[in-house]
Amino acid sequence: MGTHAQRRRSRRRGRRRIVDYPRAGRSGVRRWLPSWRLLLGAAGLFAASVATLFVCVYVSVDIPDENAAARREANVYYWSDGSQMVSTGAVNRQNVELNQIAPSAVDAVIAAENETFYEDSGVSPKGLARAVVNMVRGRETQGGSTITQQYVKNTYLSQDQTVTRKVKEFVIALKVDRKKSKDEILKGYLNTSWFGRGANGIEAAARAYYGIPAKELNPSQGAMLAAMLKGADLYDPSVSAANHERARERWAWILDRQVAVGLMAEKERAKYRTFPEPRRQSRSTSLGGQTGYLVDVANRYLKQQTGLTDEELARGGYEIHTTFDRTKVRRLERAVRRVVARDLDPKERAADRHVQVGAASVRPSDGALVALYGGPDATTHFTNNADTSGVPVGSAFKPFVLAAALQHGVSAHEPTADAVAPLSGRAAAGAGARQSILADSRYAADGVLRRSDGAPDPDRPTLREALVSGGNATYVRLGKDVGLDMVRRTAVSAGLLRHSMALLEPTFSVGTSTPSAIRMATAYGTFANDGVRRDPYSVTKVVKDGEPLPGLAPPSSRRALDPQVAQEVTDALRTAGKRLGVDVAVGRTGDQDRLRTAWFTGYSKDLSTAVTLFRLRPGEPQLLPLSGVAGKKSERGNVLPPRIWKEYEE
């Protein structure tokens, strides 16, 4: 029988270890070198552990809700010619369908970012491994992600560069790839990617860099935008010469890459040898200058016509096409600035301080609001002077009194022969009836009609003469004889708003009402349009998610005055225009007006423009006097609105 030690060694040899490490029966270094079986087993165990962990993570990670930022879009406003006016909102994005993007631009992005997009499972294991290695080395974890992974990052996750976020991105990308079609993923990626110049998504980028929608990009422009996906801060060619060179090289590489992966023919590639220089100016989101006033007017009209709320507009995504004519808006602003700079001297004359100007132009044929001047800058002067109330219109209201008299007649007096001339469609004289009247009838302040061909009498001017200069007392009496309620109804029928009308007191006929410049241009436009009224409108079309919103057809027309009445008022107002050296009809305030405002409205068949001037100290409700504005010969500021109008029209 052996010793105790021998028996122990025998029992040890009889038992098999699960892991033969250190290796039995080996000595020295060989004892510590693992066998191939051990290595294979360890690798298998590691793989099984990773697989188990992945399954656990895959099951536990769901596709989250979209980021609020990924859903947020800009509202984009367009001039009447279709060019972009401004993009508003925290995010400059306009989501578009895949068929609204030039196919060549889509191909450029696929070739540059993920050529196997339509074949892969939505993830890049190499990219994930690279992120882990970079983390170990203390570098950024960003690696080569697929389009699906980038879409997931843009839409569902934060932009943090961590392994946790990369793992989530990997898992969610797998699930998204199974849940959504490749085209849905590609569309989402193109609508959420950052292209620089404040542009989120390819539609905003196409307009920011080239001033066109994404569907109009040519292959060269599409390749240039695809280059921006690598980092616009390094590739926007307008930033620096180094950026320009990097952008040019990557642009050329992307075009060549499209050929290499079969997305472009060599013959097509040969057409694009010149780098497509983008516009140097970036997209402007500023609401300064007149832009803020234009957007404000468009938004109010849009909400009124469609029922959209401020909250709905704030969510963005609306393409808003306006009636505003870019050339006319800029010309009107330039006219105001020139006259104000030339004729006002607030440093030397206290009366020239706090002067405000408002103006608006309307197209009489359809009511389109084509231009306005709301103030010096919408970001510093918040009230829109073109669309404000509280500024009495003065003698510029007289044409509505004349129109009411021509349309409805006056209460009976005892006229001399030929004092009246009944016209078809107007009130006829008769027992107890109203009497018809002409613009050239001599109408005294005591209400007595005189022969239109009688001897000149300074105290008994014609209504035409009283309209052009002075004649306030005549028109006060005329309004009384027509009936102030009838005058008010005529003015409202022509286009002024009922709530802007003053109390029906004797001075009502000489302009105590407070219409806006927009509404004055509209109502005078009714005269220009032969008595047919067209309400002002500022939005022609709104598109949301590719679909136009209903309720935005131009306002319908309505008959406000008989054609001959409108033509006679126009003829009378043209007399005032000739005095100013212009062949258009004009109405204005005069030196008899004691209201603290100055107005001028001029119109032709094509355009009706109203200009108002007043003084208002910020934070105070009361208008300041106009005496002394622009010097002693300014007729209490009344010379300035016509100067602005002439500067604008010339």
Side-chain angles (χ1 to χ4, degrees):
M1 203 170 169
T3 65
H4 179 67
Q6 289 174 326
R7 289 198 299 270
R8 286 178 57 194
R9 284 196 297 271
S10 176
R11 286 197 299 270
R12 196 178 296 126
R13 283 196 300 268
R15 292 200 303 265
R16 298 186 62 183
R17 292 185 296 171
I18 296 175
V19 178
D20 183 21
Y21 193 83
R23 297 177 67 183
R26 300 288 190 274
S27 61
V29 176
R30 294 181 61 193
R31 176 176 173 79
W32 299 100
L33 291 176
S35 67
W36 66 269
R37 291 186 182 88
L38 183 60
L39 290 174
L40 186 61
L45 180 62
F46 177 78
S49 300
V50 170
T52 302
L53 177 62
F54 178 78
V55 170
C56 293
V57 172
Y58 187 87
V59 171
S60 64
V61 174
D62 294 323
I63 300 177
D65 294 333
E66 291 184 0
N67 289 327
R71 296 192 301 269
R72 193 177 302 126
E73 300 179 64
N75 290 324
V76 185
Y77 296 78
Y78 299 93
W79 296 103
S80 58
D81 64 2
S83 60
Q84 182 173 321
M85 174 168 60
V86 70
S87 172
T88 66
V91 177
N92 177 28
R93 176 191 293 120
Q94 304 93 57
N95 291 336
V96 292
E97 297 299 319
L98 207 56
N99 61 10
Q100 294 175 287
I101 305 171
S104 59
V106 176
D107 289 345
V109 170
I110 291 175
E113 297 294 308
N114 185 184
E115 65 189 61
T116 62
F117 169 71
Y118 278 103
E119 290 78 39
D120 63 35
S121 60
V123 296
S124 170
K126 290 182 179 179
L128 180 60
R130 187 180 300 114
V132 174
V133 171
N134 285 343
M135 182 203 69
V136 172
R137 293 179 177 177
R139 301 175 182 173
E140 288 190 357
T141 62
Q142 188 169 8
S145 299
T146 64
I147 283 176
T148 305
Q149 287 176 266
Q150 294 179 64
Y151 165 64
V152 166
K153 180 181 66 176
N154 294 343
T155 308
Y156 302 107
L157 301 173
S158 71
Q159 301 298 311
D160 295 338
Q161 298 298 323
T162 63
V163 170
T164 301
R165 204 273 296 154
K166 289 293 290 187
V167 170
K168 285 185 177 180
E169 173 192 298
F170 189 91
V171 173
I172 294 171
L174 281 173
K175 292 190 172 185
V176 166
D177 190 75
R178 295 183 63 184
K179 184 177 180 179
K180 294 190 174 187
S181 70
K182 288 291 188 179
D183 282 352
E184 287 180 302
I185 295 170
L186 184 58
K187 180 187 78 170
Y189 171 67
L190 290 170
N191 280 322
T192 57
S193 292
W194 171 254
F195 286 84
R197 295 196 178 189
N200 288 268
I202 195 168
E203 176 72 7
R207 295 187 183 277
Y209 285 89
Y210 293 107
I212 58 176
K215 64 183 178 182
E216 295 180 11
L217 291 167
N218 65 38
S220 184
Q221 294 167 333
M224 207 294 294
L225 290 185
M228 297 302 101
L229 293 169
K230 195 167 178 65
D233 54 338
L234 295 175
Y235 287 86
D236 184 340
S238 66
V239 172
S240 66
N243 271 29
H244 191 281
E245 182 59 23
R246 278 190 291 266
R248 190 194 63 77
E249 290 177 355
R250 185 153 179 84
W251 159 81
W253 178 84
I254 291 172
L255 288 172
D256 292 338
R257 190 65 183 160
Q258 290 181 75
V259 175
V261 300
L263 293 175
M264 179 181 286
E266 284 276 8
K267 185 177 181 180
E268 178 74 6
R269 168 66 181 96
K271 297 178 183 178
Y272 307 109
R273 297 299 179 188
T274 302
F275 182 70
E277 299 288 351
R279 301 191 304 179
R280 294 198 63 82
Q281 68 271 24
S282 297
R283 171 199 55 84
S284 172
T285 58
S286 170
L287 291 178
Q290 299 308 301
T291 305
Y293 303 123
L294 299 174
V295 167
D296 176 65
V297 168
N299 282 349
R300 279 196 278 155
Y301 180 80
L302 176 58
K303 290 185 289 185
Q304 179 185 16
Q305 296 302 118
T306 66
L308 279 176
T309 64
D310 287 328
E311 181 180 356
E312 288 170 322
L313 269 176
R315 293 188 192 127
Y318 295 93
E319 297 178 20
I320 301 166
H321 297 260
T322 74
T323 59
F324 303 126
D325 183 306
R326 174 167 46 184
T327 301
K328 285 186 171 60
V329 169
R330 291 175 178 173
R331 197 165 66 199
L332 181 57
E333 181 179 23
R334 186 167 57 247
V336 174
R337 292 185 183 280
R338 284 179 178 175
V339 172
V340 167
R342 184 181 64 224
D343 296 343
L344 298 182
D345 189 356
K347 292 182 179 180
E348 294 295 326
R349 287 191 296 265
D352 288 356
R353 298 167 192 165
H354 310 300
V355 172
Q356 298 287 337
V357 176
S361 288
V362 170
R363 191 164 57 220
S365 61
D366 66 352
L369 179 59
V370 298
L372 60 81
Y373 178 86
D377 192 308
T379 61
T380 57
H381 177 80
F382 305 116
T383 301
N384 187 344
N385 293 343
D387 197 26
T388 187
S389 58
V391 183
V393 73
S395 289
F397 188 80
K398 289 180 185 176
F400 303 110
V401 184
L402 176 60
L406 297 176
Q407 181 78 29
H408 302 289
V410 297
S411 58
H413 292 295
E414 297 181 0
T416 59
D418 299 331
V420 295
L423 295 175
S424 174
R426 305 192 198 179
R434 300 171 71 86
Q435 297 176 343
S436 294
I437 196 170
L438 298 173
D440 287 322
S441 296
R442 295 191 177 276
Y443 204 86
D446 59 8
V448 178
L449 290 164
R450 301 295 176 182
R451 293 172 58 96
S452 60
D453 59 351
D457 184 347
D459 295 327
R460 303 191 188 282
T462 67
L463 293 177
R464 179 193 303 271
E465 293 166 345
L467 182 67
V468 172
S469 177
N472 278 9
T474 297
Y475 270 84
V476 167
R477 182 55 191 252
L478 179 64
K480 177 178 179 296
D481 291 345
V482 174
L484 296 183
D485 182 63
M486 188 69 75
V487 172
R488 179 175 61 188
R489 279 189 280 167
T490 300
V492 171
S493 180
L496 301 188
L497 295 178
R498 179 68 173 77
H499 65 74
S500 71
M501 295 292 99
L503 296 175
L504 298 183
E505 298 174 340
T507 54
F508 175 80
S509 295
V510 289
T512 53
S513 295
T514 58
S516 68
I518 292 175
R519 282 290 170 170
M520 278 294 283
T522 297
Y524 270 60
T526 299
F527 299 140
N529 204 30
D530 293 333
V532 176
R533 166 184 164 182
R534 300 298 295 260
D535 281 337
Y537 71 104
S538 55
V539 178
T540 59
K541 180 176 68 173
V542 175
V543 177
K544 171 70 169 175
D545 298 329
E547 294 294 328
L549 269 61
L552 290 169
S556 58
S557 62
R558 67 187 76 175
R559 170 65 62 185
L561 299 168
D562 289 343
Q564 60 268 34
V565 170
Q567 291 162 11
E568 194 167 350
V569 172
T570 293
D571 184 65
L573 292 174
R574 189 169 282 115
T575 302
K578 290 178 180 177
R579 284 195 173 190
L580 293 174
V582 293
D583 188 24
V584 293
V586 303
R588 59 178 299 190
T589 49
D591 53 11
Q592 278 196 337
D593 287 287
R594 291 296 176 260
L595 299 171
R596 298 180 175 189
T597 58
W599 281 83
F600 183 91
T601 303
Y603 65 87
S604 63
K605 280 288 185 183
D606 300 322
L607 197 67
S608 176
T609 302
V611 182
T612 181
L613 181 142
F614 54 94
R615 292 181 66 216
L616 187 65
R617 186 179 286 111
E620 296 184 8
Q622 298 299 322
L623 296 176
L624 300 173
L626 289 181
S627 301
V629 169
K632 295 181 179 179
K633 297 182 180 180
S634 73
E635 301 176 14
R636 301 178 65 253
N638 284 303
V639 299
L640 298 181
R643 287 176 184 173
I644 292 171
W645 184 89
K646 289 182 71 174
E647 188 85 28
Y648 168 56
E649 289 290 329
E650 291 178 352

